[in-house]
Every structure is written in structure tokens, then in C-alpha cells.
Amino acid sequence: MAHRRWRSAIVVAALAAAVPMLTYGTAAATTPSHGGRLTIETVSNPRPELVSGGQVLIRVAASARNHAKRITVSANGRDVTSGLHKRSDGSLLGLVSGLREGRNTLEARQSGSRSTTLRVTNHPITGPVLSGSQQLPFYCETQAYGLPAAEQPHCSAPTQVVYQYRTTAGAFAPLPDPSTRPADLATATVNGEQVPYIVRVERGTIDRAVYEIAALYDGSAPSPVTPDGGWNDKLVYTFGGGCNSGFHQGRGTGGVMNDLFLGQGYAVASSSLNVLDNNCSPIISAEAAMMVKEHFVETYGPVEHTIGWGGSGGAIQQYDIAESYPGILDGIIPGVSFPDPLSTAGPVSDCRLLNRFFAGPGASFTTAQKTAIGGFLTYSTCVSWDVTFASRSTATESCNAAIPVSVRWDPVTNPNGVKCNSTEQLVNQIGRDPKTGFVRSPLDNTGVQYGLAALKAGTITPAQFTALNAGVGGMDHTGKPVPQRTVADPKALNAVYANDIVNSASQGLRQTPIIDQRTDLDLAGLGNDIHTTEWSFVMRQRLLRAGGTAGNQVIIASAPTPAETAAAARYELDAMDRWLSAIGADRSGRDMRHKVLANRPADLGDGCYLSATQRIRETLTYPSGGQCGARFPVGANTRMAAGERLSMDVMKCTLKPLDFRDYPVTFTAAERAQLRATFAKGVCDYGRPGVGQRKPIGTWLSYGDERTGTTPPTRLPGSPHRH
């Protein structure tokens, strides 16, 4: 098999684009020297201030006319030149190890030229790097992966490598000796050539998480400077679903043993902190992905491009990492997506409150009326939200089994115990309320008019509308339902918008290729019907509001059958690979945003699968229409049914006075009095920005210690970009 081509590194330069992007990739420090440039670039992590693990892959290059001159490189005064390997373009590539914790100085010298230095800040492999103080206590689960037992709080375990092979029957099986060739060994196709389907699987610990890396094995140990015949130079990074409070390592990653990826030569990587049910913080997930990817590049070499993959909470991580930490992922394929962990919080908590109301004073409401109030295509979605994720806003209901009962929060016996509330992982961004000891909450339903759309449609009566809104109530800081409406913490509101935790789609996402993989689960009887389709259009609307176009987002719908989901996955992976390859080959002077729009493959666009063998292209809209809309209708949710706009970016609405002229019905005097009492401060005005809503600070934010209560983030300087 022909050796893979070494891609030329990307030298950092200033772009006119509003949002800088990066890729893995390089970051460089340069000193001009009489018409030429001598550069040092960090390849394994484009941000030299965020290097981890005591080593870094670097590239050193001189101007073309100075290629013949000898280059020497040192790290903290120690000569490391012998570890660098010359490439065909005259540059040097090599792994520099032995970095001390904190600041390091790399220096390159060339005979007859001035020297160049690059400051590199090295962080412990256990983290943190940018996410702020780590959560304590933290329970280890390394043995779930076959690794030795580990000790708190770092949960570190030695790296292990095992091998598997793909059988001709289509299964993965252990391979104790990778030099053997079993009789039922299948082949994989890498760049058009057949290779033995043997997989090297590496497991270890990074950032307190267990990571996994899988790639085809070509018979030799991987090297960052030697081409690997079993790898196509591309990486798929997988993310897992859910959303929970953390405090434990997790018993699974996003998964790396995937035939769709490995069978074509992709390497696959993931980490247990890239599963949102182990860690409901996109910031921690970004940090873990950055560190794992850095280790991958230091093991296998430069990556042509990285594709994100995963559904539900895995989709949240992709959307949020691409938005706030652009460049870790070059293109994303989020499945059954949501925009971020907080946008769903309103509907999820609403469903718990509505279910309580319908089980009590609202018992006379019909199924059709409940469905209209919920906004979903079926009210079973609200039931499912209550059963699955409403508990995640409570202090105790969703504690993972790894967290001992003895350490869990109790208001009387253990008021300082572990609180199993999903926002606990966001404490470094939002801060902790000193009065309650809980993370400040942005959750709010003050002024929300539940069932407003149902009232206007005549599905519920004025009396029912009045009783519903008077009786639905809210939640206190522990997640317990109470008669009063929920009130957000003002500091929390400011933080979630400033830090872009409520994903504005105004930063990195504007320049990220997106294929939104919408397996349709809206209707009853299909299982995970919390994954409703309107959320794909919520993100599209945010892209439109922020940048005037959503041309970088494609939505493709399919039925939840194995044949259709497999067909969609194959096409979407191939289309994203072609899209990113075309962007990488674009040498025009266009900024990245326009390169992304200009290089979308001609066959790639919105559409749906009518069967496993029939995909049609058709612009998907909200409300739904066309052939795809007929097969996959799109509903709403509780907040949209209460008047919220499609962008669903208001955590706490701005209020306006209650005005009975706004309603197409007539209320009795008693109903008017009750509604005035219910909405004493007013009702939601969704024509205005939400309370605390503002533009985000920027990308690549770094956080401090949550113990201060509030932690203003630091915007890391000099964001490098993909060019």
C-alpha cells in the first residue's frame, strides 16, 4: 500500500473572519529573518498554552531558500534535534518529550539565521487544562474496561493495548497475537486497497477519564513520524448520550469498535468524559477530547480532519464543542440532536409539572388536550421526559450507582453531600449559591402561559387554561415541585449566555460543516421519543438568527429501522469526508465560513430516506411539508406551545402586562381575577430578548476555581484557526 501523504501544516495568520478557527493543525511562533521565516509549530495541540502530558509533536520549518541550512532545536536548553525527522518539504517533524509542568521554551536555530522561540505550557495528563477545578469526590471505574483498579481522585491506570479482528461473519473477536492470521479474518478497504482487518485498541486514562483509541494495525507500532499503512489519516471522534451530575469516571465511552469507521481506515477515539451521562458539561468534554486527540496525534501523527459522531447527549457535545472550542472537530454529524444541556431544561421540567397537574386537579383533561398543551406529536413524549430526565434537576433522584449512598446529599443528615443535579458539572461556569449550597440555576417558568396555543386553537377552554396555569407551579432549588413558579438566578442567566452554554450558534458553528442526522423518533411506540425533530430546526433557526444563513447545516431524516439508519450513516460519513476534503483543498483567499459554504458537495442537502435505497433531496422546513414532512411530521414542545419562538433560546422571558385583549376568547370575572393573581408580574413577551440574554464573550474560554462562587472566564489569547 502506498504511504500516506504528509499534509503540509497550517501556519497561523490573521483572518478577517469574525470567528477564528483551528485544526490539528498547528500553532506557530515566528521571527522574520531577512525575507524568510523560521517557525516552530505545535502539531499535536495547536494551542501551545494548552499542551498536556509532558510531550508535544512539533514541526520546524524554514523558508524554501534556507532549506539546506542546518536547523537545531532545543527544549528548555536541552538539544532535541536528533528526535526530529526531515520531511519531503524540508521541514522537521518530531515528538519532544520531558516537558516540565508549567512553562517551557522551545527554540530553533538555523545557521546564518536568527533563532525562533515558542513558549509551551504543559499541564498534567490528569488535568485540568481549561475547565477549572475538578469535581470532588470522583469515583474510579477503570476495572469496567479491563484496566487495573485506580485510586481517587485522579483515577489513573497504566495504558494497555489489545488487538481484535473482524471475522468474515461480521463480528469483532479478540486476537491475542496480532502476528497471527485467523482463517476467518476479514479485510478492510483503506484508500481503495484491501488490508487485513486487525484492530489495535489502546486504553488508558487522560483527564481522569478512561480513553479508547482504535485503528487498523499494519504490523508495526504506530509512530507520529512514520506513515501507517492501516490508517487513512482521518479521525472519527465519538460522543455518548445522556446528561447527569458526574462525580464518577464512567463505565463506557462513545464507542470505538465501529465497522463503518474502521472498515474504511478511519481511526476512532473517545473518552468516558465524552459521555454526557457521565459528565453533563460540554466544557469538560471539550477538554477531554482535546487532550485525547493530542495524545492520538502524538501516537499516530498529524490528522487530515476529525469528524464528530454521536447522538442525543453526543450531539449536544458536538454542537457545543464546535461552537465554543472550534477546531477540535472539523465537521460534525450529530444524531437525534439537541442544542445544549440547558435549552431542553424548560420542556423537561415542564413535563414533570404538567404530569403532576394532570394526575391531580387536571385529571379531566383529555389526551388530545394534553397533547396540544405539550406541543409534541404525542403526549407520551412528556411522559418519557418525566420518567427519564426530569430527575436530573433534582438533588438525589439520579445518583449513579458508583456514588456511595453514604456521601449523597441529605438536607438533614448530610447537607454538604454530593448533589446529583446535572448542573453540578457547570459550577465553574455558573457558580454556587452560598445561601443554598446548590449551583445557581437558570431554570425559570415565571410568566409562561402553558397551553396558550391550545387555547387559541379552541382545544382547551378558558376555564381549563386558567386552572392549568394557576395549578402547574414550579420547582425549588432541590428540584422539588412547589406551588410557586420557578425563578432563575440572575447571575446564572448572565453566565449561561456569556459563556455560550445556551448555544447561540454565533461563533464556531457558523464555520463548521454540519450534517444533522435526524432519526425520526417522534411518534409513540418507538422507544426514545424524547428525541423530537423540532430540535434540529431550533439549531437551524439559531444559525439563521446569528449569521443570516444555515447553509452549513444539512438535515437528513430517516426512520429508526436498521436498514435506513445504516444507509443514512454510510452516506453521511462519506458526504462529510468529501466536504472536509474539499475545504482542505481550497486554496482560495476566502475566509473559512465561505469555504465551508462553497465546498458543500453538490449531492448533499436536506432530505430524507423514503426507504433504505431511496434518499430524496428536499428542503426541510418548520412547520414541515413536502414528501419528507408527510413521512416525518414535526411537532413542537411545551415552551413553543406556550408562545416561545423557534430558536428556543430564552431561559427566562421578559414580562409584559397581562392584557385580556390579546386572547381570542372571553374569560369570566373569576377567571380574570385568577389569571391576574397567577401572572401578577406579567406574562412572557417572546418578541423581546430573554432576561440576561447577551452575546457570548468568545471562544476558547478557560475557567478558574468554583469555590469563589462566581468564576469569570479567561479568553485564551491568539485563537489559531483552520485555513
Side-chain angles (χ1 to χ4, degrees):
M1 178 178 177
H3 288 326
R4 63 186 168 114
R5 302 183 305 277
W6 288 107
R7 274 71 185 178
S8 58
I10 301 154
V11 179
V12 173
L15 281 186
V19 182
M21 296 280 289
L22 64 110
T23 189
Y24 283 53
T26 59
T30 64
T31 302
S33 177
H34 303 294
R37 304 180 86 182
L38 181 63
T39 65
I40 307 176
E41 306 165 327
T42 54
V43 177
S44 51
N45 190 328
R47 291 186 160 277
E49 72 274 22
L50 300 180
V51 165
S52 62
Q55 60 185 11
V56 63
L57 186 68
I58 67 169
R59 177 179 182 266
V60 180
S63 62
R65 68 181 185 181
N66 290 325
H67 274 182
K69 296 180 180 179
R70 183 174 183 270
I71 297 174
T72 59
V73 181
S74 64
N76 299 323
R78 172 174 52 93
D79 193 307
V80 296
T81 311
S82 61
L84 303 180
H85 297 254
K86 195 165 187 176
R87 303 168 68 188
S88 60
D89 63 359
S91 66
L92 301 175
L93 182 75
L95 189 64
V96 175
S97 301
L99 299 180
R100 59 192 177 216
E101 192 170 319
R103 298 190 70 183
N104 297 261
T105 300
L106 304 182
E107 182 179 32
R109 289 183 175 274
Q110 189 171 34
S111 55
S113 302
R114 293 165 58 186
S115 65
T116 280
T117 61
L118 178 64
R119 306 293 184 188
V120 173
T121 302
N122 175 52
H123 302 262
I125 197 65
T126 54
V129 178
L130 55 79
S131 65
S133 61
Q134 292 178 323
Q135 196 175 55
L136 295 173
F138 190 76
Y139 295 95
C140 310
E141 296 174 276
T142 50
Q143 291 174 291
Y145 305 83
L147 298 172
E151 294 184 2
Q152 294 179 274
H154 296 311
C155 295
S156 300
T159 301
Q160 290 186 357
V161 174
V162 298
Y163 297 88
Q164 295 194 39
Y165 76 101
R166 185 80 170 174
T167 70
T168 51
F172 287 108
L175 185 64
D177 182 359
S179 66
T180 62
R181 295 294 181 268
D184 61 344
L185 173 64
T187 59
T189 303
V190 182
N191 297 331
E193 297 190 24
Q194 299 293 304
V195 299
Y197 203 150
I198 297 173
V199 183
R200 177 186 182 271
V201 184
E202 178 183 323
R203 295 185 180 94
T205 54
I206 291 176
D207 204 21
R208 303 200 305 177
V210 174
Y211 75 89
E212 296 182 307
I213 291 171
L216 292 178
Y217 178 66
D218 69 354
S220 59
S223 165
V225 296
T226 303
D228 190 307
W231 179 38
N232 68 4
D233 293 344
K234 302 160 189 175
L235 178 65
V236 174
Y237 204 103
T238 64
F239 298 86
C243 178
N244 214 335
S245 59
F247 296 103
H248 66 110
Q249 200 169 38
R251 300 178 65 84
T253 71
V256 296
M257 297 303 297
N258 187 309
D259 177 56
L260 175 64
F261 310 141
L262 295 169
Q264 300 180 69
Y266 289 91
V268 193
S270 191
S271 156
S272 61
L273 289 184
N274 296 125
V275 177
L276 221 59
D277 215 42
N278 300 330
N279 154 51
C280 201
S281 166
I283 297 94
I284 296 174
S285 178
E287 176 181 85
M290 176 188 71
M291 295 175 72
V292 170
K293 186 172 176 181
E294 178 181 353
H295 172 70
F296 174 84
V297 175
E298 290 164 358
T299 303
Y300 280 89
V303 175
E304 182 176 326
H305 52 244
T306 301
I307 298 172
W309 189 278
S312 191
I316 287 174
Q317 292 166 86
Q318 292 178 70
Y319 267 128
D320 290 7
I321 291 172
E323 166 72 357
S324 295
Y325 296 91
I328 294 175
L329 305 173
D330 297 307
I332 61 174
I333 307 179
V336 290
S337 64
F338 302 105
D340 54 69
L342 297 180
S343 293
T344 60
V348 174
S349 60
D350 292 344
C351 285
R352 171 153 288 192
L353 298 175
L354 289 171
N355 288 337
R356 289 180 72 254
F357 175 79
F358 292 137
S364 63
F365 282 65
T366 67
T367 298
Q369 289 174 329
K370 289 189 281 189
T371 301
I373 292 165
F376 305 106
L377 295 182
T378 168
Y379 192 73
S380 69
T381 295
C382 231
V383 175
S384 295
W385 270 128
D386 192 1
V387 171
T388 55
F389 284 96
S391 63
R392 307 303 168 88
S393 64
T394 69
T396 57
E397 288 184 46
S398 65
C399 289
N400 186 273
I403 305 169
V405 174
S406 60
V407 306
R408 300 178 189 179
W409 178 86
D410 183 276
V412 177
T413 62
N414 194 13
N416 296 316
V418 169
K419 303 173 184 70
C420 298
N421 182 308
S422 59
T423 55
E424 279 292 319
Q425 290 280 41
L426 298 172
V427 67
N428 291 336
Q429 290 73 47
I430 300 177
R432 194 176 296 279
D433 185 344
K435 295 179 181 179
T436 65
F438 281 70
V439 175
R440 299 179 186 277
S441 174
L443 190 64
D444 194 281
N445 71 342
T446 304
V448 174
Q449 300 184 79
Y450 292 104
L452 181 61
L455 175 70
K456 291 181 176 180
T459 308
I460 61 174
T461 67
Q464 288 176 311
F465 176 78
T466 302
L468 169 63
N469 282 286
V472 71
M475 292 182 176
D476 68 10
H477 65 274
T478 70
K480 177 184 176 182
V482 293
Q484 302 79 24
R485 293 292 183 104
T486 309
V487 180
D489 185 306
K491 292 183 178 179
L493 291 170
N494 179 72
V496 298
Y497 289 117
N499 298 330
D500 215 2
I501 298 171
V502 175
N503 192 330
S504 67
S506 65
Q507 302 193 114
L509 274 177
R510 295 174 63 191
Q511 304 179 65
T512 301
I514 304 163
I515 301 178
D516 193 291
Q517 190 180 59
R518 181 47 70 178
T519 304
D520 190 88
L521 297 169
D522 291 55
L523 297 177
L526 296 180
N528 296 322
D529 57 326
I530 60 172
H531 301 100
T532 48
T533 300
E534 84 277 5
W535 293 107
S536 294
F537 295 93
V538 167
M539 184 54 80
R540 172 162 293 180
Q541 185 65 18
R542 293 185 188 182
L543 287 163
L544 287 167
R545 285 167 59 93
T549 180
N552 61 315
Q553 185 212 40
V554 170
I555 302 173
I556 300 177
S558 62
T561 63
E564 281 195 36
T565 55
R570 284 193 300 271
Y571 173 74
E572 289 154 356
L573 179 66
D574 175 70
M576 179 59 74
D577 180 47
R578 289 185 285 119
W579 195 353
L580 292 172
S581 295
I583 293 169
D586 188 338
R587 297 293 181 260
S588 71
R590 293 178 289 208
D591 62 28
M592 180 51 62
R593 186 182 183 202
H594 289 93
K595 285 185 179 182
V596 168
L597 296 173
N599 287 286
R600 196 175 87 185
D603 62 292
L604 176 61
D606 282 3
C608 65
Y609 280 80
L610 299 181
S611 70
T613 57
Q614 184 182 10
R615 177 181 64 89
I616 63 169
R617 281 195 61 181
E618 177 181 86
T619 300
L620 302 186
T621 61
Y622 186 91
S624 54
Q627 291 185 75
C628 293
R631 187 174 191 222
F632 303 116
V634 185
N637 57 54
T638 58
R639 292 296 168 105
M640 292 169 67
E644 165 71 290
R645 58 200 181 207
L646 178 58
S647 57
M648 284 288 295
D649 53 1
V650 171
M651 295 300 296
K652 178 181 178 63
C653 66
T654 299
L655 300 177
K656 64 180 180 180
L658 180 66
D659 187 343
F660 292 106
R661 293 173 297 181
D662 293 339
Y663 303 90
V665 297
T666 301
F667 295 97
T668 67
E671 290 163 356
R672 289 187 176 213
Q674 180 63 74
L675 287 170
R676 288 191 187 100
T678 299
F679 298 116
K681 295 183 178 180
V683 295
C684 288
D685 182 356
Y686 287 117
R688 298 163 64 190
V691 176
Q693 195 163 7
R694 52 161 292 177
K695 291 182 179 180
I697 294 171
T699 60
W700 284 91
L701 301 182
S702 180
Y703 297 89
D705 193 330
E706 61 91 4
R707 290 171 294 184
T708 62
T710 56
T711 54
T714 300
R715 186 177 184 185
L716 296 167
S719 297
H721 58 263
R722 185 175 61 193
H723 179 49

